[in-house]
């Protein structure tokens, strides 16, 4: 519970910096938790952070705004581990969300995720689920791009997520990639070999639970 609360505060503070500037680090937000339609939220600087989902529905639709105690909050972030092990099969993320936290969808049963243009930052392992087959972006995404079904930063230097459901048995990380996110290949059972270019400078917990890979080529 303490880890979950800390993750919520971190997500709220990251969001607050985007909303009110660096001064937010010196003014921690008052955290208030509530639930609407099975979705858990915390408030921070007139914004709302999604921090969980209790409804065992096949579909999750996150609203762009949520009302609580007569006040309307803009839903601007998804906290770390918010949907860990959740059972929903589809998810709709609104254009209001700017931040998706670390391991936000860790082992959630959702098969595909669409990232709206509003998202500016994605934490390590945000899409680390054995069930995710596809990640999509719109053509107007400013901060991210897809390369052969794999999620990268817009400049191509950071590999964020390799969907576990991609059918390839071999993958060559593009030359010029510098960072491999934590859990980027989490629970991948399809790959048997991965080629890592010399441009890669940083990787930490990137290949957690990648049991089928028999060869890494550097």
């Amino acid at each position: 519970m303490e880890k979950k609360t800390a993750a919520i505060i971190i997500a709220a503070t990251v969001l607050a910096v985007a909303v009110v500037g660096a001064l937010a680090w010196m003014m921690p937000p008052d955290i208030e938790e509530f639930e609407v339609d099975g979705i858990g939220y915390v408030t921070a600087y007139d914004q709302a952070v999604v921090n969980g989902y209790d409804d065992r529905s096949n579909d999750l639709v996150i609203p762009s705004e949520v009302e609580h105690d007569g006040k309307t909050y803009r839903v601007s972030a998804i906290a770390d581990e918010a949907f860990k092990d959740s059972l929903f099969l589809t998810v709709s993320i609104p254009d209001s969300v700017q931040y998706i936290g670390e391991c936000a969808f860790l082992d959630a049963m959702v098969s595909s995720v669409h990232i709206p243009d509003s998202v500016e930052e994605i934490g390590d392992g945000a899409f680390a689920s054995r069930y995710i087959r596809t990640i999509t972006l719109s053509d107007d995404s400013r901060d991210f791009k897809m390369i052969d079904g794999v999620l990268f930063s817009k400049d191509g230097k950071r590999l964020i997520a390799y969907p576990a459901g991609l059918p390839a048995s071999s993958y060559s990380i593009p030359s010029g990639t510098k960072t491999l996110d934590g859990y980027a290949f989490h629970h991948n059972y399809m790959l048997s070999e991965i080629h890592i270019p010399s441009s890669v400078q940083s990787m930490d917990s990137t290949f957690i639970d990648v049991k089928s890979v028999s060869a890494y080529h550097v």
Side-chain angles (χ1 to χ4, degrees), residues 167-216:
S169 61
S170 176
Y171 179 63
S172 296
I173 296 170
S175 179
T177 304
K178 292 188 175 182
T179 302
L180 308 181
D181 271 14
Y183 295 88
F185 291 83
H186 178 65
H187 272 318
N188 189 293
Y189 300 122
M190 307 296 287
L191 289 172
S192 58
E193 61 178 9
I194 298 174
H195 297 262
I196 304 172
S198 59
S199 60
V200 172
Q201 301 174 357
S202 174
M203 54 182 174
D204 182 20
S205 301
T206 298
F207 301 104
I208 294 290
D209 207 5
V210 185
K211 298 179 178 179
S212 59
V213 174
S214 57
Y216 294 91

mmCIF file of all heavy atoms in Angstrom, residues 167-216:
data_model
loop_
_atom_site.group_PDB
_atom_site.id
_atom_site.type_symbol
_atom_site.label_atom_id
_atom_site.label_comp_id
_atom_site.label_asym_id
_atom_site.label_seq_id
_atom_site.Cartn_x
_atom_site.Cartn_y
_atom_site.Cartn_z
ATOM 1 N N PRO A 167 4.353 -11.351 -33.633
ATOM 2 C CA PRO A 167 4.609 -12.737 -34.014
ATOM 3 C C PRO A 167 6.040 -13.070 -34.428
ATOM 4 O O PRO A 167 6.374 -14.246 -34.614
ATOM 5 C CB PRO A 167 3.652 -12.949 -35.184
ATOM 6 C CG PRO A 167 3.542 -11.591 -35.816
ATOM 7 C CD PRO A 167 3.591 -10.625 -34.670
ATOM 8 N N ALA A 168 6.910 -12.092 -34.593
ATOM 9 C CA ALA A 168 8.264 -12.359 -35.109
ATOM 10 C C ALA A 168 9.080 -13.228 -34.150
ATOM 11 O O ALA A 168 8.933 -13.149 -32.926
ATOM 12 C CB ALA A 168 8.985 -11.038 -35.355
ATOM 13 N N SER A 169 9.957 -14.052 -34.724
ATOM 14 C CA SER A 169 10.845 -14.888 -33.908
ATOM 15 C C SER A 169 12.215 -14.253 -33.736
ATOM 16 O O SER A 169 12.996 -14.661 -32.869
ATOM 17 C CB SER A 169 10.997 -16.268 -34.540
ATOM 18 O OG SER A 169 11.563 -16.161 -35.844
ATOM 19 N N SER A 170 12.508 -13.241 -34.559
ATOM 20 C CA SER A 170 13.792 -12.549 -34.477
ATOM 21 C C SER A 170 13.550 -11.047 -34.591
ATOM 22 O O SER A 170 12.678 -10.613 -35.348
ATOM 23 C CB SER A 170 14.711 -13.015 -35.611
ATOM 24 O OG SER A 170 15.927 -12.287 -35.605
ATOM 25 N N TYR A 171 14.321 -10.269 -33.832
ATOM 26 C CA TYR A 171 14.154 -8.813 -33.895
ATOM 27 C C TYR A 171 15.512 -8.131 -33.835
ATOM 28 O O TYR A 171 16.349 -8.450 -32.979
ATOM 29 C CB TYR A 171 13.295 -8.317 -32.739
ATOM 30 C CG TYR A 171 13.099 -6.805 -32.746
ATOM 31 C CD1 TYR A 171 12.442 -6.173 -33.794
ATOM 32 C CD2 TYR A 171 13.592 -6.022 -31.711
ATOM 33 C CE1 TYR A 171 12.274 -4.801 -33.823
ATOM 34 C CE2 TYR A 171 13.424 -4.636 -31.720
ATOM 35 C CZ TYR A 171 12.764 -4.030 -32.773
ATOM 36 O OH TYR A 171 12.606 -2.661 -32.794
ATOM 37 N N SER A 172 15.710 -7.196 -34.749
ATOM 38 C CA SER A 172 16.922 -6.381 -34.771
ATOM 39 C C SER A 172 16.581 -4.972 -34.329
ATOM 40 O O SER A 172 15.832 -4.259 -35.014
ATOM 41 C CB SER A 172 17.533 -6.345 -36.181
ATOM 42 O OG SER A 172 17.966 -7.633 -36.583
ATOM 43 N N ILE A 173 17.101 -4.564 -33.199
ATOM 44 C CA ILE A 173 16.866 -3.207 -32.703
ATOM 45 C C ILE A 173 17.540 -2.232 -33.663
ATOM 46 O O ILE A 173 18.714 -2.416 -34.013
ATOM 47 C CB ILE A 173 17.435 -3.060 -31.281
ATOM 48 C CG1 ILE A 173 16.689 -4.000 -30.319
ATOM 49 C CG2 ILE A 173 17.324 -1.613 -30.790
ATOM 50 C CD1 ILE A 173 17.322 -4.114 -28.948
ATOM 51 N N PRO A 174 16.838 -1.208 -34.128
ATOM 52 C CA PRO A 174 17.411 -0.297 -35.125
ATOM 53 C C PRO A 174 18.693 0.383 -34.649
ATOM 54 O O PRO A 174 18.811 0.756 -33.481
ATOM 55 C CB PRO A 174 16.297 0.734 -35.340
ATOM 56 C CG PRO A 174 15.044 0.046 -34.938
ATOM 57 C CD PRO A 174 15.436 -0.858 -33.805
ATOM 58 N N SER A 175 19.638 0.520 -35.542
ATOM 59 C CA SER A 175 20.868 1.259 -35.248
ATOM 60 C C SER A 175 20.511 2.705 -34.929
ATOM 61 O O SER A 175 19.649 3.294 -35.572
ATOM 62 C CB SER A 175 21.809 1.206 -36.453
ATOM 63 O OG SER A 175 22.979 1.930 -36.203
ATOM 64 N N GLY A 176 21.154 3.263 -33.937
ATOM 65 C CA GLY A 176 20.840 4.619 -33.490
ATOM 66 C C GLY A 176 20.044 4.636 -32.203
ATOM 67 O O GLY A 176 19.977 5.659 -31.521
ATOM 68 N N THR A 177 19.446 3.488 -31.847
ATOM 69 C CA THR A 177 18.747 3.375 -30.562
ATOM 70 C C THR A 177 19.772 3.439 -29.442
ATOM 71 O O THR A 177 20.772 2.729 -29.465
ATOM 72 C CB THR A 177 17.974 2.043 -30.475
ATOM 73 O OG1 THR A 177 17.074 1.938 -31.580
ATOM 74 C CG2 THR A 177 17.192 1.963 -29.171
ATOM 75 N N LYS A 178 19.524 4.289 -28.450
ATOM 76 C CA LYS A 178 20.480 4.466 -27.356
ATOM 77 C C LYS A 178 20.006 3.879 -26.026
ATOM 78 O O LYS A 178 20.807 3.452 -25.205
ATOM 79 C CB LYS A 178 20.801 5.950 -27.172
ATOM 80 C CG LYS A 178 21.574 6.561 -28.326
ATOM 81 C CD LYS A 178 22.030 7.976 -28.007
ATOM 82 C CE LYS A 178 22.902 8.528 -29.131
ATOM 83 N NZ LYS A 178 23.391 9.904 -28.808
ATOM 84 N N THR A 179 18.698 3.872 -25.817
ATOM 85 C CA THR A 179 18.152 3.425 -24.533
ATOM 86 C C THR A 179 17.067 2.379 -24.744
ATOM 87 O O THR A 179 16.188 2.548 -25.586
ATOM 88 C CB THR A 179 17.557 4.614 -23.756
ATOM 89 O OG1 THR A 179 18.566 5.604 -23.545
ATOM 90 C CG2 THR A 179 17.025 4.165 -22.398
ATOM 91 N N LEU A 180 17.156 1.305 -23.961
ATOM 92 C CA LEU A 180 16.106 0.294 -23.948
ATOM 93 C C LEU A 180 15.425 0.381 -22.599
ATOM 94 O O LEU A 180 16.044 0.157 -21.552
ATOM 95 C CB LEU A 180 16.693 -1.110 -24.153
ATOM 96 C CG LEU A 180 17.629 -1.311 -25.360
ATOM 97 C CD1 LEU A 180 18.098 -2.765 -25.416
ATOM 98 C CD2 LEU A 180 16.928 -0.916 -26.653
ATOM 99 N N ASP A 181 14.140 0.703 -22.595
ATOM 100 C CA ASP A 181 13.405 0.882 -21.343
ATOM 101 C C ASP A 181 13.335 -0.419 -20.537
ATOM 102 O O ASP A 181 13.375 -1.523 -21.088
ATOM 103 C CB ASP A 181 11.974 1.353 -21.626
ATOM 104 C CG ASP A 181 11.875 2.865 -21.704
ATOM 105 O OD1 ASP A 181 12.922 3.529 -21.806
ATOM 106 O OD2 ASP A 181 10.736 3.377 -21.682
ATOM 107 N N GLY A 182 13.177 -0.265 -19.231
ATOM 108 C CA GLY A 182 12.916 -1.399 -18.376
ATOM 109 C C GLY A 182 11.628 -2.090 -18.778
ATOM 110 O O GLY A 182 10.656 -1.422 -19.140
ATOM 111 N N TYR A 183 11.624 -3.424 -18.768
ATOM 112 C CA TYR A 183 10.458 -4.243 -19.107
ATOM 113 C C TYR A 183 10.033 -4.084 -20.573
ATOM 114 O O TYR A 183 8.916 -4.466 -20.929
ATOM 115 C CB TYR A 183 9.260 -3.913 -18.212
ATOM 116 C CG TYR A 183 9.446 -4.235 -16.757
ATOM 117 C CD1 TYR A 183 10.017 -3.306 -15.886
ATOM 118 C CD2 TYR A 183 9.049 -5.470 -16.239
ATOM 119 C CE1 TYR A 183 10.196 -3.603 -14.540
ATOM 120 C CE2 TYR A 183 9.224 -5.773 -14.892
ATOM 121 C CZ TYR A 183 9.799 -4.833 -14.046
ATOM 122 O OH TYR A 183 9.984 -5.126 -12.729
ATOM 123 N N ALA A 184 10.902 -3.548 -21.415
ATOM 124 C CA ALA A 184 10.516 -3.298 -22.809
ATOM 125 C C ALA A 184 10.117 -4.573 -23.542
ATOM 126 O O ALA A 184 9.262 -4.548 -24.439
ATOM 127 C CB ALA A 184 11.645 -2.603 -23.558
ATOM 128 N N PHE A 185 10.711 -5.717 -23.178
ATOM 129 C CA PHE A 185 10.402 -6.992 -23.825
ATOM 130 C C PHE A 185 9.739 -7.970 -22.844
ATOM 131 O O PHE A 185 9.777 -9.182 -23.030
ATOM 132 C CB PHE A 185 11.683 -7.623 -24.387
ATOM 133 C CG PHE A 185 12.272 -6.878 -25.551
ATOM 134 C CD1 PHE A 185 13.088 -5.775 -25.355
ATOM 135 C CD2 PHE A 185 12.020 -7.272 -26.853
ATOM 136 C CE1 PHE A 185 13.649 -5.087 -26.427
ATOM 137 C CE2 PHE A 185 12.565 -6.595 -27.933
ATOM 138 C CZ PHE A 185 13.374 -5.495 -27.720
ATOM 139 N N HIS A 186 9.118 -7.445 -21.828
ATOM 140 C CA HIS A 186 8.551 -8.242 -20.741
ATOM 141 C C HIS A 186 7.576 -9.318 -21.228
ATOM 142 O O HIS A 186 6.717 -9.061 -22.065
ATOM 143 C CB HIS A 186 7.814 -7.301 -19.779
ATOM 144 C CG HIS A 186 7.139 -7.987 -18.634
ATOM 145 N ND1 HIS A 186 7.824 -8.665 -17.664
ATOM 146 C CD2 HIS A 186 5.833 -8.087 -18.301
ATOM 147 C CE1 HIS A 186 6.982 -9.155 -16.767
ATOM 148 N NE2 HIS A 186 5.754 -8.824 -17.139
ATOM 149 N N HIS A 187 7.757 -10.520 -20.721
ATOM 150 C CA HIS A 187 6.859 -11.646 -21.000
ATOM 151 C C HIS A 187 6.732 -11.957 -22.485
ATOM 152 O O HIS A 187 5.672 -12.383 -22.945
ATOM 153 C CB HIS A 187 5.468 -11.384 -20.422
ATOM 154 C CG HIS A 187 5.327 -11.844 -19.009
ATOM 155 N ND1 HIS A 187 5.837 -13.033 -18.546
ATOM 156 C CD2 HIS A 187 4.709 -11.262 -17.944
ATOM 157 C CE1 HIS A 187 5.546 -13.170 -17.264
ATOM 158 N NE2 HIS A 187 4.881 -12.103 -16.864
ATOM 159 N N ASN A 188 7.807 -11.756 -23.253
ATOM 160 C CA ASN A 188 7.741 -12.102 -24.671
ATOM 161 C C ASN A 188 8.134 -13.566 -24.850
ATOM 162 O O ASN A 188 9.221 -13.974 -24.463
ATOM 163 C CB ASN A 188 8.675 -11.197 -25.481
ATOM 164 C CG ASN A 188 8.469 -11.370 -26.966
ATOM 165 O OD1 ASN A 188 8.754 -12.424 -27.519
ATOM 166 N ND2 ASN A 188 7.951 -10.334 -27.617
ATOM 167 N N TYR A 189 7.220 -14.349 -25.426
ATOM 168 C CA TYR A 189 7.463 -15.773 -25.626
ATOM 169 C C TYR A 189 7.632 -16.133 -27.098
ATOM 170 O O TYR A 189 7.751 -17.313 -27.440
ATOM 171 C CB TYR A 189 6.304 -16.589 -25.037
ATOM 172 C CG TYR A 189 6.112 -16.386 -23.559
ATOM 173 C CD1 TYR A 189 4.908 -15.928 -23.048
ATOM 174 C CD2 TYR A 189 7.146 -16.645 -22.674
ATOM 175 C CE1 TYR A 189 4.724 -15.745 -21.688
ATOM 176 C CE2 TYR A 189 6.982 -16.459 -21.300
ATOM 177 C CZ TYR A 189 5.769 -16.011 -20.822
ATOM 178 O OH TYR A 189 5.608 -15.818 -19.468
ATOM 179 N N MET A 190 7.646 -15.127 -27.978
ATOM 180 C CA MET A 190 7.722 -15.382 -29.406
ATOM 181 C C MET A 190 9.158 -15.271 -29.928
ATOM 182 O O MET A 190 9.568 -16.026 -30.809
ATOM 183 C CB MET A 190 6.833 -14.393 -30.169
ATOM 184 C CG MET A 190 5.391 -14.343 -29.679
ATOM 185 S SD MET A 190 4.515 -15.901 -29.906
ATOM 186 C CE MET A 190 4.299 -15.877 -31.678
ATOM 187 N N LEU A 191 9.927 -14.345 -29.397
ATOM 188 C CA LEU A 191 11.275 -14.110 -29.904
ATOM 189 C C LEU A 191 12.240 -15.208 -29.484
ATOM 190 O O LEU A 191 12.238 -15.654 -28.338
ATOM 191 C CB LEU A 191 11.798 -12.769 -29.394
ATOM 192 C CG LEU A 191 11.159 -11.508 -29.974
ATOM 193 C CD1 LEU A 191 11.647 -10.273 -29.223
ATOM 194 C CD2 LEU A 191 11.480 -11.381 -31.460
ATOM 195 N N SER A 192 13.091 -15.619 -30.426
ATOM 196 C CA SER A 192 14.149 -16.570 -30.107
ATOM 197 C C SER A 192 15.527 -15.919 -30.166
ATOM 198 O O SER A 192 16.489 -16.430 -29.592
ATOM 199 C CB SER A 192 14.103 -17.771 -31.061
ATOM 200 O OG SER A 192 14.230 -17.337 -32.404
ATOM 201 N N GLU A 193 15.613 -14.777 -30.871
ATOM 202 C CA GLU A 193 16.891 -14.060 -30.892
ATOM 203 C C GLU A 193 16.660 -12.559 -31.054
ATOM 204 O O GLU A 193 15.710 -12.131 -31.704
ATOM 205 C CB GLU A 193 17.818 -14.582 -31.993
ATOM 206 C CG GLU A 193 17.278 -14.450 -33.407
ATOM 207 C CD GLU A 193 18.263 -14.950 -34.444
ATOM 208 O OE1 GLU A 193 19.282 -15.550 -34.060
ATOM 209 O OE2 GLU A 193 18.028 -14.717 -35.644
ATOM 210 N N ILE A 194 17.549 -11.781 -30.421
ATOM 211 C CA ILE A 194 17.468 -10.321 -30.461
ATOM 212 C C ILE A 194 18.837 -9.772 -30.830
ATOM 213 O O ILE A 194 19.858 -10.160 -30.243
ATOM 214 C CB ILE A 194 17.019 -9.751 -29.102
ATOM 215 C CG1 ILE A 194 15.611 -10.249 -28.756
ATOM 216 C CG2 ILE A 194 17.040 -8.222 -29.119
ATOM 217 C CD1 ILE A 194 15.143 -9.842 -27.365
ATOM 218 N N HIS A 195 18.860 -8.875 -31.796
ATOM 219 C CA HIS A 195 20.109 -8.247 -32.234
ATOM 220 C C HIS A 195 20.175 -6.831 -31.630
ATOM 221 O O HIS A 195 19.284 -6.011 -31.854
ATOM 222 C CB HIS A 195 20.168 -8.172 -33.756
ATOM 223 C CG HIS A 195 20.163 -9.522 -34.423
ATOM 224 N ND1 HIS A 195 21.314 -10.134 -34.856
ATOM 225 C CD2 HIS A 195 19.137 -10.374 -34.692
ATOM 226 C CE1 HIS A 195 21.007 -11.321 -35.381
ATOM 227 N NE2 HIS A 195 19.692 -11.485 -35.295
ATOM 228 N N ILE A 196 21.218 -6.564 -30.870
ATOM 229 C CA ILE A 196 21.372 -5.286 -30.178
ATOM 230 C C ILE A 196 22.516 -4.502 -30.826
ATOM 231 O O ILE A 196 23.654 -4.972 -30.849
ATOM 232 C CB ILE A 196 21.692 -5.499 -28.679
ATOM 233 C CG1 ILE A 196 20.601 -6.371 -28.029
ATOM 234 C CG2 ILE A 196 21.806 -4.163 -27.949
ATOM 235 C CD1 ILE A 196 20.925 -6.795 -26.610
ATOM 236 N N PRO A 197 22.240 -3.312 -31.369
ATOM 237 C CA PRO A 197 23.291 -2.546 -32.054
ATOM 238 C C PRO A 197 24.270 -1.907 -31.067
ATOM 239 O O PRO A 197 23.972 -1.747 -29.885
ATOM 240 C CB PRO A 197 22.499 -1.469 -32.805
ATOM 241 C CG PRO A 197 21.299 -1.246 -31.946
ATOM 242 C CD PRO A 197 20.946 -2.606 -31.391
ATOM 243 N N SER A 198 25.419 -1.537 -31.567
ATOM 244 C CA SER A 198 26.456 -0.933 -30.725
ATOM 245 C C SER A 198 26.064 0.454 -30.233
ATOM 246 O O SER A 198 26.675 0.982 -29.308
ATOM 247 C CB SER A 198 27.771 -0.841 -31.502
ATOM 248 O OG SER A 198 27.605 -0.060 -32.684
ATOM 249 N N SER A 199 25.032 1.038 -30.830
ATOM 250 C CA SER A 199 24.588 2.375 -30.409
ATOM 251 C C SER A 199 23.927 2.369 -29.037
ATOM 252 O O SER A 199 23.833 3.413 -28.376
ATOM 253 C CB SER A 199 23.613 2.964 -31.435
ATOM 254 O OG SER A 199 22.468 2.128 -31.584
ATOM 255 N N VAL A 200 23.447 1.195 -28.578
ATOM 256 C CA VAL A 200 22.752 1.114 -27.293
ATOM 257 C C VAL A 200 23.713 1.389 -26.149
ATOM 258 O O VAL A 200 24.755 0.739 -26.015
ATOM 259 C CB VAL A 200 22.089 -0.268 -27.106
ATOM 260 C CG1 VAL A 200 21.541 -0.413 -25.681
ATOM 261 C CG2 VAL A 200 20.955 -0.452 -28.109
ATOM 262 N N GLN A 201 23.372 2.364 -25.330
ATOM 263 C CA GLN A 201 24.212 2.790 -24.215
ATOM 264 C C GLN A 201 23.622 2.448 -22.854
ATOM 265 O O GLN A 201 24.331 2.413 -21.854
ATOM 266 C CB GLN A 201 24.452 4.305 -24.288
ATOM 267 C CG GLN A 201 25.121 4.769 -25.563
ATOM 268 C CD GLN A 201 25.202 6.284 -25.665
ATOM 269 O OE1 GLN A 201 24.703 7.016 -24.804
ATOM 270 N NE2 GLN A 201 25.822 6.759 -26.730
ATOM 271 N N SER A 202 22.324 2.205 -22.827
ATOM 272 C CA SER A 202 21.665 2.002 -21.530
ATOM 273 C C SER A 202 20.521 1.003 -21.641
ATOM 274 O O SER A 202 19.674 1.125 -22.518
ATOM 275 C CB SER A 202 21.134 3.344 -20.996
ATOM 276 O OG SER A 202 20.378 3.162 -19.822
ATOM 277 N N MET A 203 20.527 0.017 -20.750
ATOM 278 C CA MET A 203 19.389 -0.890 -20.618
ATOM 279 C C MET A 203 19.414 -1.458 -19.202
ATOM 280 O O MET A 203 20.450 -1.882 -18.707
ATOM 281 C CB MET A 203 19.419 -2.007 -21.667
ATOM 282 C CG MET A 203 20.678 -2.816 -21.746
ATOM 283 S SD MET A 203 20.553 -4.063 -23.070
ATOM 284 C CE MET A 203 22.229 -4.727 -23.033
ATOM 285 N N ASP A 204 18.260 -1.422 -18.559
ATOM 286 C CA ASP A 204 18.145 -1.869 -17.179
ATOM 287 C C ASP A 204 16.834 -2.637 -17.019
ATOM 288 O O ASP A 204 15.761 -2.085 -17.233
ATOM 289 C CB ASP A 204 18.182 -0.671 -16.225
ATOM 290 C CG ASP A 204 18.118 -1.076 -14.770
ATOM 291 O OD1 ASP A 204 18.428 -2.240 -14.466
ATOM 292 O OD2 ASP A 204 17.764 -0.228 -13.924
ATOM 293 N N SER A 205 16.924 -3.912 -16.695
ATOM 294 C CA SER A 205 15.740 -4.772 -16.548
ATOM 295 C C SER A 205 14.925 -4.830 -17.838
ATOM 296 O O SER A 205 13.713 -5.020 -17.809
ATOM 297 C CB SER A 205 14.851 -4.273 -15.400
ATOM 298 O OG SER A 205 15.570 -4.254 -14.185
ATOM 299 N N THR A 206 15.610 -4.685 -18.970
ATOM 300 C CA THR A 206 14.918 -4.654 -20.262
ATOM 301 C C THR A 206 14.332 -6.002 -20.634
ATOM 302 O O THR A 206 13.234 -6.081 -21.198
ATOM 303 C CB THR A 206 15.891 -4.195 -21.370
ATOM 304 O OG1 THR A 206 16.330 -2.866 -21.079
ATOM 305 C CG2 THR A 206 15.242 -4.219 -22.738
ATOM 306 N N PHE A 207 15.044 -7.075 -20.327
ATOM 307 C CA PHE A 207 14.646 -8.402 -20.801
ATOM 308 C C PHE A 207 14.110 -9.285 -19.672
ATOM 309 O O PHE A 207 14.373 -10.482 -19.617
ATOM 310 C CB PHE A 207 15.826 -9.071 -21.496
ATOM 311 C CG PHE A 207 16.354 -8.286 -22.666
ATOM 312 C CD1 PHE A 207 17.527 -7.563 -22.556
ATOM 313 C CD2 PHE A 207 15.650 -8.240 -23.858
ATOM 314 C CE1 PHE A 207 18.011 -6.827 -23.632
ATOM 315 C CE2 PHE A 207 16.118 -7.501 -24.931
ATOM 316 C CZ PHE A 207 17.303 -6.791 -24.824
ATOM 317 N N ILE A 208 13.335 -8.677 -18.762
ATOM 318 C CA ILE A 208 12.716 -9.430 -17.676
ATOM 319 C C ILE A 208 11.731 -10.470 -18.230
ATOM 320 O O ILE A 208 10.862 -10.152 -19.044
ATOM 321 C CB ILE A 208 11.962 -8.479 -16.720
ATOM 322 C CG1 ILE A 208 12.954 -7.558 -15.997
ATOM 323 C CG2 ILE A 208 11.121 -9.252 -15.716
ATOM 324 C CD1 ILE A 208 13.819 -8.251 -14.986
ATOM 325 N N ASP A 209 11.889 -11.719 -17.792
ATOM 326 C CA ASP A 209 10.962 -12.798 -18.139
ATOM 327 C C ASP A 209 10.795 -12.977 -19.646
ATOM 328 O O ASP A 209 9.685 -13.127 -20.156
ATOM 329 C CB ASP A 209 9.600 -12.562 -17.478
ATOM 330 C CG ASP A 209 8.837 -13.864 -17.218
ATOM 331 O OD1 ASP A 209 9.422 -14.922 -17.469
ATOM 332 O OD2 ASP A 209 7.681 -13.807 -16.794
ATOM 333 N N VAL A 210 11.921 -12.937 -20.360
ATOM 334 C CA VAL A 210 11.916 -13.237 -21.798
ATOM 335 C C VAL A 210 12.482 -14.648 -21.936
ATOM 336 O O VAL A 210 13.670 -14.833 -22.164
ATOM 337 C CB VAL A 210 12.753 -12.211 -22.595
ATOM 338 C CG1 VAL A 210 12.639 -12.472 -24.082
ATOM 339 C CG2 VAL A 210 12.290 -10.801 -22.275
ATOM 340 N N LYS A 211 11.629 -15.643 -21.792
ATOM 341 C CA LYS A 211 12.088 -17.024 -21.621
ATOM 342 C C LYS A 211 12.450 -17.746 -22.904
ATOM 343 O O LYS A 211 13.177 -18.729 -22.873
ATOM 344 C CB LYS A 211 11.020 -17.820 -20.869
ATOM 345 C CG LYS A 211 10.746 -17.291 -19.463
ATOM 346 C CD LYS A 211 9.664 -18.074 -18.758
ATOM 347 C CE LYS A 211 9.439 -17.551 -17.348
ATOM 348 N NZ LYS A 211 8.364 -18.275 -16.644
ATOM 349 N N SER A 212 11.952 -17.272 -24.039
ATOM 350 C CA SER A 212 12.157 -18.026 -25.278
ATOM 351 C C SER A 212 13.434 -17.624 -26.025
ATOM 352 O O SER A 212 13.870 -18.321 -26.927
ATOM 353 C CB SER A 212 10.954 -17.826 -26.198
ATOM 354 O OG SER A 212 10.792 -16.450 -26.499
ATOM 355 N N VAL A 213 14.049 -16.496 -25.654
ATOM 356 C CA VAL A 213 15.229 -16.026 -26.369
ATOM 357 C C VAL A 213 16.426 -16.910 -26.042
ATOM 358 O O VAL A 213 16.794 -17.082 -24.879
ATOM 359 C CB VAL A 213 15.542 -14.558 -26.026
ATOM 360 C CG1 VAL A 213 16.853 -14.128 -26.669
ATOM 361 C CG2 VAL A 213 14.408 -13.651 -26.503
ATOM 362 N N SER A 214 17.023 -17.461 -27.081
ATOM 363 C CA SER A 214 18.190 -18.318 -26.887
ATOM 364 C C SER A 214 19.486 -17.630 -27.269
ATOM 365 O O SER A 214 20.574 -18.116 -26.958
ATOM 366 C CB SER A 214 18.041 -19.600 -27.727
ATOM 367 O OG SER A 214 17.869 -19.277 -29.099
ATOM 368 N N ALA A 215 19.388 -16.453 -27.954
ATOM 369 C CA ALA A 215 20.600 -15.763 -28.385
ATOM 370 C C ALA A 215 20.389 -14.257 -28.417
ATOM 371 O O ALA A 215 19.390 -13.766 -28.933
ATOM 372 C CB ALA A 215 21.016 -16.258 -29.768
ATOM 373 N N TYR A 216 21.360 -13.545 -27.840
ATOM 374 C CA TYR A 216 21.417 -12.086 -27.936
ATOM 375 C C TYR A 216 22.674 -11.749 -28.724
ATOM 376 O O TYR A 216 23.777 -12.174 -28.367
ATOM 377 C CB TYR A 216 21.494 -11.440 -26.546
ATOM 378 C CG TYR A 216 20.263 -11.623 -25.702
ATOM 379 C CD1 TYR A 216 20.143 -12.709 -24.828
ATOM 380 C CD2 TYR A 216 19.220 -10.716 -25.760
ATOM 381 C CE1 TYR A 216 19.019 -12.892 -24.053
ATOM 382 C CE2 TYR A 216 18.070 -10.886 -24.969
ATOM 383 C CZ TYR A 216 17.980 -11.967 -24.113
ATOM 384 O OH TYR A 216 16.859 -12.140 -23.336
#
